[in-house]
Amino acid sequence: MSINLIATTTFGLEAVVKRECQALGFENIKTSDGKVEFTGTEADIVKANMWLRCAGRVWVKMGTFKAVTFTELFDQTKALPWADWIPEDGKFTVVGKSVKSTLFSVSDCQAIVKKPL
């Protein structure tokens, strides 16, 4: 199964992390400000966390969508494949950031994402 991964990094080090990803054999590598996206397997999550020296964290990209209202945010978040990664009684932390968004209240966004289904 191919998984979309994101390695975060300090601004300016994206090219270094990209080269590290290439050296580790990752595919579909794309860089943007502060992050490098690539595809891999479940085993590659461990590999990336162990061997990417200039990356801060490695995240699994669950999906992307546009939401301009809290209702859209809730509905689109609910539609993501959470059961593939988190058991029904599992817990997870929601970390939020808002950049040029109409949904500027990070705490409200976090509450919506954590809202029970």
Side-chain angles (χ1 to χ4, degrees), residues 23-107:
L24 291 169
F26 298 134
E27 298 178 347
N28 304 317
I29 304 167
K30 297 177 210 154
T31 61
S32 57
D33 290 343
K35 66 181 178 180
V36 177
E37 296 190 43
F38 56 97
T39 57
T41 64
E42 286 185 42
D44 289 332
I45 298 169
V46 176
K47 184 177 175 181
N49 273 297
M50 288 182 63
W51 299 110
L52 289 177
R53 295 171 50 189
C54 293
R57 296 191 182 267
V58 177
W59 301 89
V60 174
K61 185 175 185 177
M62 296 291 292
T64 59
F65 55 84
K66 182 176 181 174
V68 294
T69 68
F70 289 116
T71 301
E72 289 176 337
L73 177 62
F74 176 76
D75 291 342
Q76 303 250 19
T77 300
K78 180 180 174 184
L80 293 172
W82 297 108
D84 293 350
W85 295 95
I86 303 170
E88 191 170 326
D89 61 343
K91 297 179 181 183
F92 61 95
T93 302
V94 174
V95 178
K97 292 182 182 175
S98 177
V99 179
K100 298 180 183 177
S101 173
T102 56
L103 304 178
F104 55 86
S105 172
V106 174
S107 60

